[in-house]
Amino acid sequence: MVGADTTEPWQDRLAEHLRHHLGGTRLAAFVVDDPEGGLAACAMGVVHQGLPGPDHAGIFGQIQTVATEARFRRRGYGRAVTQALMDWLTGQGCTLLTLTASDAGRPLYASLGFTPNTRAMRLVGKPYHRA
């Protein structure tokens, strides 16, 4: 969530959602703990049911949050949590995995087999951000 406004109420909505859904069959997080407290790295993802397509069965995983604290980078933690999440998502029946890559994360995801999709677009409803 690099660059996200941390003063907005979305954080409260996220915390509430995680409390209710984390650990179920549709939402997972994998972490490496910071020995001094907090997280060194994490990866979170969601299972979605969609329509089957020519290259997937209609169950797809969306990797939404992969982050590694700066002092823990270049140790393989980001790869470890991402691979664990990928394994979990495929274990849930996902035959398609998607993510939005930062410039810094792009080489990692490419090494894990992800390829760019230049057709992706999105529309975000502005009132949601202020609710």
Side-chain angles (χ1 to χ4, degrees), residues 2-112:
V2 174
D5 185 345
T6 59
T7 64
E8 294 293 327
W10 68 267
Q11 287 185 315
D12 294 335
R13 290 190 301 268
L14 173 60
E16 184 67 17
H17 187 84
L18 293 175
R19 276 192 288 279
H20 284 96
H21 300 285
L22 195 59
T25 60
R26 298 287 185 204
L27 176 65
F30 292 86
V31 303
V32 173
D33 291 327
D34 177 341
E36 298 175 14
L39 297 177
C42 73
M44 296 176 60
V46 180
V47 176
H48 295 284
Q49 177 66 57
L51 298 173
D55 60 352
H56 62 89
I59 301 172
F60 67 96
Q62 183 178 22
I63 297 173
Q64 291 189 300
T65 303
V66 177
T68 303
E69 285 291 325
R71 72 181 196 273
F72 294 105
R73 291 185 183 146
R74 312 299 304 163
R75 298 183 190 187
Y77 295 165
R79 175 178 296 280
V81 294
T82 303
Q83 186 64 63
L85 179 59
M86 291 169 60
D87 293 345
W88 182 84
L89 289 166
T90 56
Q92 298 302 309
C94 297
T95 56
L96 172 68
L97 302 180
T98 64
L99 57 78
T100 300
S102 67
D103 290 339
R106 200 172 309 276
L108 168 64
Y109 305 130
S111 75
L112 291 168

